[in-house]
Structures are given as structure tokens and as C-alpha cells.
Amino acid sequence: MSDDADATGGKLETGEGRELTARFGVPEMDCPTCAKKVDKSLQRVDGIVDVTLQPTTGTASITYDPDRVNEREVIEAIENAGYEVVGGTDDDAEAGADGSAEGVDIAPPSEVWTSPRALKTWVGAVFVTAGLLFEFLLTSANVGVASVLGYPLALADVLFLAAVAASGIPVIRSGYYSAKNRSLDIDLLMGTAIIAATGIGYFVEAATLAVLFSIAELLEDYAMDRARDSLRELMELSPDEATVRRSGEEVTVPADEVEIGEVVVVRPGDKIPLDGVVVEGESAVDQSPITGESVPVDKTSGEEVYAGTINEGGYLEIEVISTAGDSTLSRIIEMVQGAQAEKTDTEQFVDRFAGYYTPTVVVLAILTAAIPPLVISEPFSVGVAGYAITFVGDWTTWFIRGLTLLVIACPCAFVISTPVSVVSGVTSAAKNGVLIKGGNHLETMGEVDAIALDKTGTLTRGELAVTDVVPVGDTDEATLLRHAAGLERRSEHPIADAIRVRAEEAEVGDLPAPTTFESLTGKGIRGEFDGETYYAGKPALFEELGFGFDRGERTDGGAIPEGEPKGGDATFADGTLTELERAGKTVVVVGTETELLGAIAIADEVRPASKWAVERLQEMGVEHVVMLTGDNEGTARAIAEAVGVDEYRAELLPEEKVEAIEELQADYGEVAMVGDGINDAPALATAEVGIAMGAAGTDTALETADIALMGDDIDKLPYLYGLSHTANGVIRQNIWASLGVKFLLALGVPLGLVSVAMAVVVGDMGMSLGVTGNAMRLSRITPEERA
């Protein structure tokens, strides 16, 4: 059994060999130490096959053999570790045909400040406050009120004991479960310290420790509950119900009962309940919950929409293409949960370190309590930083100092420093349209030294589009586009598609239909309008017709023949064609045998955000940004110059892209590769981090990439790098701060500079809250707005 296995999905379901998997909420299981205690308790139950514990979400996924153990016994095993269980199914409940019953994907929000534990803490706080008043201020009223085994008890002592009973018993109870499961954790250490202090008559210390530790636990529960809120918000994006058209009527049913092929109705302002294709209506849809796009996207018939997105203004009817459990949003949530379950390298190191740290400090606590009273026969003083510190051989003094070290022995803040940062970072990214499929990928992305970018579909849109319309003479743009699009009506070439789309956008009117049409292989096309022949094709085609263009040199270095142009002055300005070609564009010249109408330039258009994204990555510290493409040298050079990459490599086959990644790894270190998730799969797999673009509607990209940019825009890449880089800094800050504070407190204990209260408030409560609050900063990082 393992507490870092893959998550199973959130339902009770049948598996091979009649195995069942149930998912429970365990809200108070909020740190790896808690999870280990639960795991040890479950290990003793015969019939449990596999265990997945996620303290960051407060859930336990248990696979068991129903012939050997039932669900009630599984729940009892968790409760025997000292934790309340939420969810699951009744013992008598039977799984359906698919073995499914509702489970828990994340612990429900808890009423931390009004829980039974909180009420006991507040009662204890009242008693300890009253006790301190009588002990130190109202001393004349602090009279003896009882005697136990010959030991006199003053009023303040009784109040302190009442505080221990109210606030300390829950701690001692948890410590009992820890001892029962042989888990050396904070509950066992604190419970031991409270019992020991009470046993030797140090009621002030015992009561203060019980109340402060209980308050610390409540604050930690509150902080973890807030950390879980980000995932709850993600899970609440998709509505629970859908309005479905059945038998000509609209009925509202649970979303998970809607079948593929049914039509759902979505009115203005409603959330889209399931993935589907628009079959009627049009509207702007806010896709920011999935893709992170800040501007609503217009959707019309035939276009795909996603569950959890918001219909802004129009009426839509949508044909469902996936069930609720298989929607894009559901897969995102499942992958985010899986990312949180997977331990990072840093987290694994911290767990190993904690395994040595706690026993070592416990041994030091025992030695601190036992050795000094034996070796110090006479009091003596030592000067430390200008202060005189006196050491005495008093057993009670050193016993209290040993108890204080027990408090410091708890590694909670140190252990949660990494997972709480991963939770905050991964869920924040998901809400901004970036799916990070593991904490390791989050950490690695922040450390990359070079980023390789595919050209087509990444730096460019991946679709040919008209970029320039250059009429000559008396011809205007509309006339040029109308004749070009008319000639291209019969062509199926992508260039023809781009010209026709531009003509439609420009509303040039009805297109002329050529009475004859001929394709001039490798050169262009020819067609006849109203008795006159028109041509559209490469500049070389018109050079053969006798036109001369002043183009200096070709992009391949060859000389261009010059001659007296036909048509008088109706030709291009000097260098116009050369500039277009050097920009990596395909130039289509349009005209007749005697007159030029102009030229149209077509290119795979560079994304508006590409240049900005490359500049931001360079400013943020990425050492080398390189473009990899299978396109020709001229086009690659033009795109590279346009976006400002440090290097480009052209005419690469897929296996050559892999070689390029390996060379970058040898030259720079860790490399991230950004591509489409399919054609670039070998290079994505070779890089330390593979990032897929536009993955919202692509199952392959979601499954194969380490990180997926859900929207089809590269401007999230600087956000991803910045988030990852900041997350690494937060993790380091949390680890070293918690270790440093613990170390300083441990040094101060033998010197008598650290009290039990200070150890609890600073070393336990303070640091746990500190690392959680520091990690939550990641949730406030948002993508930059481009100027």
C-alpha cells in the first residue's frame, strides 16, 4: 500500500477480481505525517488491496476485496487512526451495474471555529486565562481549595487542570492513536509533554501547552481548508444540472444522467453543463475557466464548447459529445488531483529528512532532561552575547527544557512546506488555463535553462492567411481581391482558401466566375473573365510573360532578371516583392498578359503574442530561446527575426528535433519544449518538460504532455515560467525558514531562552501558518496583460 499512488477518480467502482474502490473525505488528515498514521492503521486490515492518501485534499481512496472486508471496517480502520470520516456508502448500499456510488473528491469545507474541538479549546482558554490571573495578579485570592495525594491545590491550579481537561484531552487522545499506530508524530509528542508536565505539578506549562497547541491546530486546519478552496472552486465550475430536450420538452436532470447525443439548452448567463457542439444559436462564451482566455469567444453552429464555461449573451442548443465524468473539465480536475498525489523530488527528500530529524531531536530531548542534572553539581554562569546565563543541576528545570525540545521535534512545518506549495501552484495554474500534471513538472519548469519552440501552431497560428494586399496603378484592393478570389474559386490549394477568406472578410462583392480555368503546375493558375485571360501565380510566371520586377536578389541569393515592365508605370515600388519574400511570405501576383493588378502576400501568420512572450522569457532569465521547425530556411529566418528568438534551426525532421533537444541539453542544461503535442511528441518526450499548446480539445495533448496550455495562445508561457520559478523560491523559503527557526529554538532551549509557550507559538503554530501563508501567495499570481 502506498500514500502516493495514482488517484482513482472519486467513486465506488468495481475493479478486477471483484475489487471495489471507495473514496472518503478525511478533513483532519492535513499533513503527510497524518497520512502515514492512517496508512499504518489500514495496513493491519486484511483485504485492503491499495491505499491512496492525499492530505492536501483531505481524501482517502481505498481499494479492497469485498469478500474479505466491508466498507464499514475500512472506515473503522481510518477512525482508529484518530480521524473522522466523511462520505463513502452505507454498508447495505449496493453498487450499480457499473459498480458506482458517490464518493468524495475533496474534503468538504469545515466549520473550524465552531467545531467540537474549537469549543473545547475556547473553554480551555477561558480556564487558563483565569488561572493566570489568580497565579500572577490576584495572588491574595489564590487560596488552597483541595488536596490530591497529599499535594495541595490552589484555585489557580484547579483552573489550570480544568484547562488541561478541556483542551488537552483531545491532544492526548490523538497521541494515544499515534502510539497505537507506532507513529512518532506531533500528537504523540505533545500528548506526552502535557501528561509529563501535569504529572510533575507544572500545571501552568501543561495548561498553556494544551491550549496553545489546540489553537495552533485550529489555525492550521483553517489554513489548509483555505488552501483546499482553490480546488473546490475548480470542481464547482461545472453545474450539477442540465436542461435537456427530450420528447419535444425541456426537462432539468442531473448532469451525470445526460447521454452522448442528447441536446442541452443553455440560456444567457448559464454555465454550459457538458462538452458539446453547438447545433443551434450563437453567443459569446466565456472560456476563461478552461482556457484562461480573458475575452469571450464567439460560438456558432458546428463549434465546440466546454463544460464549465459561461454563455454570455445568446441562446444555445448543444449536442453532447462526452459524459459529465469524461468532460474536458473533469479530466482537468482528475489530473490536478493526480498532480497533487504525486510527490516531488523535494518532497521525497523532506520526508526522508524528517524520518531522521524527529527521532534525533527526541533523543536530544531525553538527554537534555537526564544528563545535565547528573553532571552539574554546582551552579555556574556563562556569558553569551553580553548576557550571563546560569546553569543549575535542578531536575525540574531540565525536565521542562526536555519537554520544550519535544515540542520542537515536530517536523510539521518542514514536511508541509512542499506539498502545500504544489497544491497552491497547480490549482492556481489550472484556474488560469494551464494544466500542470505533477509537482515535479512545476519544479522543473522553474529551473529550465533553455526553451525550444515549435514554429507552426506555436509561434505562428498554423493557418495560412493573407497578410498584405498590394494593388498597383489604378487598381484598388477590392478589385485585386475580387479577381484573385474569382480565379481561385476552382482551386483547392490552402493559398486559394486564404485568398477567398480574405475576399469574403473584405466584402468585395460577387466573385467573377472564370469561363475557362487551367492550373499551371509549379507556377500558378490561369482563367478567363469576359473574354480576357487573367493570371495568378509566382512572380516568375509574370517574368515569363515579359514583366520585369526590380527585386535585387532572390532570397536564395540568385540574380533576378530585369526588363522594361509592361503596362507603363503600373508596377511595384522598388524592393516591394523582395521585402515580402524576405519576410517569409508567399507572393501571388495577379494580372493579365499586359497589365498588373497587384500582389497578395500569404503567410502562416505570427501570433500577436509571440514576440512579447519571447521577450518576457528572456527578461525573466531564460538563457536561450530557440525555434525548431521543419520549414525552409528563408521562412524560418523571417519568423525568427520577427519574434526575436536567440537561435533558429530549420528543415528539421521529427528525429532531428530530438537531436536538437539533446544538443541544447548538453549546452545549456534543462530544456522545455513547446509544441502541438502530436507532431512534436518525440521532442516533447525528450525534453525535461514537454508543453502542449491549445490542448483544451485535444485528448492526445492532455494525455502526453507534462504541461498543457489549454488556450491556443502562447502568452501563457511567461506566466507558466514565472509561476514555476516563484514556486521553487517559495518551497526553498519554506524549507529553510522552518529548519532555521527550529534550529535556533533548539539552540535556545538548553540556555533557558525558549519556553514551552514560545516553542508552540513560534516553532509549531507560527511556522506552520507561515509556510502555508507563503505558499498561498502562488494563488495570487496571474498572467500578465500585454500592452
Side-chain angles (χ1 to χ4, degrees), residues 379-400:
F380 66 94
S381 298
V382 175
V384 177
Y387 294 94
I389 297 177
T390 301
F391 292 90
V392 297
D394 178 56
W395 280 96
T396 302
T397 298
W398 288 103
F399 188 82
I400 293 298

Side-chain angles (χ1 to χ4, degrees), residues 343-619:
K343 289 190 176 181
T344 67
D345 292 339
T346 303
E347 191 174 351
Q348 292 174 18
F349 164 76
V350 167
D351 285 348
R352 290 194 300 269
F353 182 88
Y356 293 101
Y357 167 82
T358 299
T360 300
V361 179
V362 169
V363 170
L364 289 176
I366 295 171
L367 294 177
T368 298
I371 301 301
L374 296 176
V375 299
I376 299 176
S377 56
E378 296 286 339
F380 66 94
S381 298
V382 175
V384 177
Y387 294 94
I389 297 177
T390 301
F391 292 90
V392 297
D394 178 56
W395 280 96
T396 302
T397 298
W398 288 103
F399 188 82
I400 293 298
R401 292 177 182 178
L403 291 181
T404 307
L405 272 179
L406 279 184
V407 175
I408 295 171
C410 171
C412 278
F414 179 57
V415 170
I416 69 172
S417 58
T418 300
V420 74
S421 301
V422 169
V423 169
S424 182
V426 169
T427 53
S428 173
K431 288 190 292 184
N432 285 291
V434 179
L435 177 58
I436 302 173
K437 294 170 60 178
N440 267 331
H441 306 314
L442 177 69
E443 289 186 357
T444 304
M445 184 62 203
E447 300 292 341
V448 296
D449 304 293
I451 295 180
L453 303 165
D454 179 48
K455 178 185 77 69
T456 305
T458 301
L459 290 171
T460 65
R461 295 186 184 277
E463 300 175 355
L464 290 179
V466 172
T467 59
D468 301 88
V469 179
V470 186
V472 297
D474 296 330
T475 306
D476 58 22
E477 288 191 11
T479 300
L480 173 58
L481 283 170
R482 185 167 54 254
H483 282 81
L487 281 170
E488 300 285 7
R489 286 179 65 167
R490 296 187 185 181
S491 175
E492 296 181 356
H493 194 281
I495 289 178
D497 292 337
I499 292 175
R500 288 196 297 266
V501 168
R502 179 59 177 269
E504 183 179 344
E505 292 174 348
E507 299 179 348
V508 299
D510 295 334
L511 301 181
T515 54
T516 63
F517 178 85
E518 182 183 359
S519 175
L520 306 174
T521 304
K523 298 179 182 179
I525 56 176
R526 175 171 56 199
E528 187 173 317
F529 300 130
D530 300 326
E532 186 168 10
T533 301
Y534 285 82
Y535 295 82
K538 296 178 179 180
L541 171 62
F542 284 81
E543 289 170 351
E544 291 180 4
L545 294 173
F547 290 89
F549 305 130
D550 181 11
R551 295 192 284 152
E553 293 184 348
R554 297 182 191 268
T555 54
D556 61 5
I560 298 296
E562 296 184 11
E564 184 65 29
K566 294 182 180 182
D569 296 328
T571 188
F572 301 103
D574 291 350
T576 299
L577 298 186
T578 301
E579 290 178 8
L580 292 174
E581 289 179 330
R582 284 181 175 170
K585 300 175 183 180
T586 298
V587 176
V588 176
V589 179
V590 182
T592 66
E593 292 182 356
T594 60
E595 182 182 7
L596 292 176
L597 298 183
I600 298 173
I602 297 97
D604 181 4
E605 190 176 357
V606 175
R607 294 180 185 272
S610 293
K611 181 176 178 61
W612 173 85
V614 170
E615 289 177 349
R616 285 296 296 132
L617 288 171
Q618 293 165 334
E619 292 169 0

